[in-house]
């Protein structure tokens, strides 16, 4: 088992190193919605829970955690992205145990920009029409448990972006591993490589334009088709650990830290804490910083600083294994007025 774990961790770290970018490439990727977090518990921890995330939320952070699910779980989530911009993220998913040691999950996420006025060169104030961009991704995950200590998972993600008369599609893979040990499985270590996939490219009628060309026999109308440039996906490597402290059997305090290596952005480092009472009421807080001087580099990540969250998870009825939970998170952003995440969780 130790050899398997070492091999997987080394492979993921090597892949992350090979994908590592340099300051000259930062800001050149696309499909940045792949880095957004629609799930409230993960958002409240600034995405630093790569080592211990479990259940459906693992499909975004570390697919290995899906195998740690005991039964089935469904989540509906709504995110007010950058408060004041009228942008939102809606997500839904389902995860379930598969066999004695496996887990399966599916999730769909949609980024809604609202209705945007149509403008042209001849009508810069608007034509009176509107269009609605749609950014959508669908993920499928499978994870497996080895000896109750090592969990390995993989996610395949279909990506679609479309605006008026233009669209782009792509495919990405996530892979992750979690190692759990301790008397109460209270020490956890996790590694996840995310958004490793095909370049994307926009195409469609929206890239065509008409031009009048003068010839020997007079002018003719010609339609030109422009070629858009390909763009890479924002690949990312996450390495993290966590340690749980228990008191009086009903109180849990989890401490965590995580390093995030971004191919097309500044690397980040963060730490967080989560308190749980009987796994029924939970509060969490985290703080994340950029590694590098934004004044020198000329850019910074929008999600730095503080994130807060809380959850209430209660049974449908007394002594029932089925539960319903409400999750909320708030993340500070620079600029804009922060992001709010709200989710409803059903556990069976």
């Amino acid at each position: 088992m130790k050899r398997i774990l070492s091999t997987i961790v080394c492979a993921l770290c090597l892949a992350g190193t090979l994908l590592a970018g340099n300051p000259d490439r930062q800001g050149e990727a696309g499909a940045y919605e792949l880095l957004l977090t629609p799930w409230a518990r993960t958002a409240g921890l600034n995405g630093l829970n790569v080592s211990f995330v479990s259940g459906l939320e693992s499909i975004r952070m570390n697919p290995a955690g899906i195998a740690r699910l005991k039964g089935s779980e469904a989540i509906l989530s709504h995110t007010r992205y950058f408060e004041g911009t009228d942008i939102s993220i809606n997500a839904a998913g389902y995860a379930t145990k598969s066999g004695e040691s496996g887990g399966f999950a599916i999730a769909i996420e949609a980024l809604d920009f609202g209705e945007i006025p149509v403008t042209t060169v001849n009508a810069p104030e608007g034509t009176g029409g509107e269009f609605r961009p749609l950014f959508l991704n669908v993920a499928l995950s499978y994870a497996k448990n080895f000896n109750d200590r090592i969990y390995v998972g993989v996610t395949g993600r279909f990506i679609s972006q479309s605006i008026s008369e233009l669209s782009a599609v792509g495919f990405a893979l996530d892979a992750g591993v979690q190692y759990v040990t301790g008397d109460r499985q209270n020490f956890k270590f996790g590694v996840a490589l995310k958004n490793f996939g095909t370049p994307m490219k926009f195409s469609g009628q929206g890239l065509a334009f008409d031009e009048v060309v003068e010839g020997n026999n007079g002018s003719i109308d010609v339609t030109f088709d422009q070629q858009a440039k390909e763009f890479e996906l924002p690949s990312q490597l996450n390495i993290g650990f966590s340690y749980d402290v228990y008191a009086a059997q009903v109180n849990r305090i989890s401490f965590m830290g995580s390093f995030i290596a971004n191919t097309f952005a500044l690397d980040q480092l963060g730490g967080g804490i989560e308190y749980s009472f009987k796994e029924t009421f939970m509060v969490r807080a985290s703080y994340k910083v950029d590694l590098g001087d934004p004044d020198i580099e000329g850019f910074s990540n929008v999600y730095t600083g503080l994130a807060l969250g809380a959850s209430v998870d209660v049974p449908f009825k007394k002594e029932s294994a089925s539960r319903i939970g409400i999750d909320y998170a708030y993340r500070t952003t620079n600029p804009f007025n922060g992001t709010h995440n709200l989710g409803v969780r059903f556990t069976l």
Side-chain angles (χ1 to χ4, degrees):
M1 290 299 101
K2 290 181 179 179
R3 291 176 180 175
I4 294 174
L5 175 64
S6 300
T7 301
I8 294 172
V9 170
C10 289
L12 289 174
C13 291
L14 177 60
T17 302
L18 293 174
L19 289 172
N22 57 66
D24 294 335
R25 298 177 64 197
Q26 296 185 27
E28 295 182 358
Y32 273 98
E33 68 271 18
L34 298 179
L35 299 180
L36 305 183
T37 303
W39 315 115
R41 291 191 182 185
T42 296
L45 292 170
N46 254 325
L48 305 177
N49 56 341
V50 63
S51 62
F52 70 94
V53 62
S54 63
L56 180 60
E57 294 201 10
S58 306
I59 203 170
R60 168 61 69 183
M61 287 308 303
N62 186 344
I66 296 170
R68 294 176 53 218
L69 187 64
K70 303 299 183 183
S72 300
E73 183 179 64
I75 302 177
L76 300 175
S77 177
H78 175 74
T79 302
R80 294 172 62 90
Y81 183 61
F82 295 158
E83 183 64 37
T85 63
D86 293 328
I87 300 175
S88 64
I89 307 172
N90 296 302
Y94 174 77
T96 185
K97 187 174 179 61
S98 175
E100 294 184 0
S101 59
F104 170 81
I106 182 171
I108 182 170
E109 303 169 16
L111 190 62
D112 184 6
F113 296 89
E115 294 183 344
I116 300 176
V118 176
T119 60
T120 66
V121 174
N122 296 325
E125 300 299 323
T127 63
E130 295 178 331
F131 69 97
R132 182 183 290 269
L134 178 61
F135 284 20
L136 179 75
N137 71 78
V138 180
L140 291 171
S141 293
Y142 179 77
K144 187 171 179 60
N145 169 20
F146 296 91
N147 199 27
D148 291 329
R149 290 182 180 271
I150 300 173
Y151 300 82
V152 179
V154 63
T155 295
R157 195 180 306 274
F158 170 77
I159 311 153
S160 173
Q161 298 181 337
S162 62
I163 60 175
S164 180
E165 298 182 330
L166 279 178
S167 63
V169 296
F171 182 79
L173 286 174
D174 300 351
V177 60
Q178 289 180 339
Y179 177 70
V180 181
T181 189
D183 294 338
R184 297 187 62 176
Q185 295 191 333
N186 52 330
F187 177 79
K188 302 176 181 70
F189 174 77
V191 181
L193 176 64
K194 302 193 297 182
N195 307 327
F196 175 69
T198 61
M200 295 177 62
K201 181 179 180 179
F202 276 98
S203 61
Q205 191 62 32
L207 291 174
F209 65 95
D210 296 327
E211 215 36 82
V212 177
V213 178
E214 297 293 337
N216 294 331
N217 299 321
S219 60
I220 56 173
D221 293 330
V222 179
T223 299
F224 293 89
D225 187 15
Q226 302 178 88
Q227 294 296 312
K229 184 177 177 59
E230 289 185 342
F231 56 88
E232 300 288 337
L233 302 182
S235 54
Q236 186 182 81
L237 175 70
N238 290 35
I239 304 174
F241 71 92
S242 64
Y243 187 80
D244 302 332
V245 177
Y246 293 91
Q249 303 299 317
V250 296
N251 300 288
R252 172 179 59 83
I253 302 177
S254 298
F255 302 91
M256 70 205 70
S258 183
F259 169 72
I260 304 170
N262 292 296
T263 306
F264 294 95
L266 294 176
D267 295 338
Q268 295 181 295
L269 187 68
I273 184 172
E274 180 179 77
Y275 167 75
S276 170
F277 176 71
K278 292 185 176 181
E279 300 300 329
T280 297
F281 174 72
M282 288 157 274
V283 292
R284 52 190 69 90
S286 60
Y287 198 88
K288 187 164 63 174
V289 298
D290 286 339
L291 296 179
D293 189 341
D295 294 332
I296 296 176
E297 301 290 349
F299 47 80
S300 62
N301 290 294
V302 67
Y303 282 117
T304 56
L306 186 66
L308 302 169
S311 299
V312 177
D313 198 1
V314 297
F316 281 109
K317 58 183 179 180
K318 189 175 182 180
E319 310 242 347
S320 172
S322 300
R323 304 173 71 90
I324 182 172
I326 303 294
D327 305 316
Y328 171 76
Y330 173 76
R331 287 173 290 169
T332 57
T333 59
N334 181 26
F336 307 112
N337 298 318
T339 294
H340 299 268
N341 293 69
L342 181 64
V344 180
R345 177 187 307 266
F346 303 93
T347 305
L348 303 175

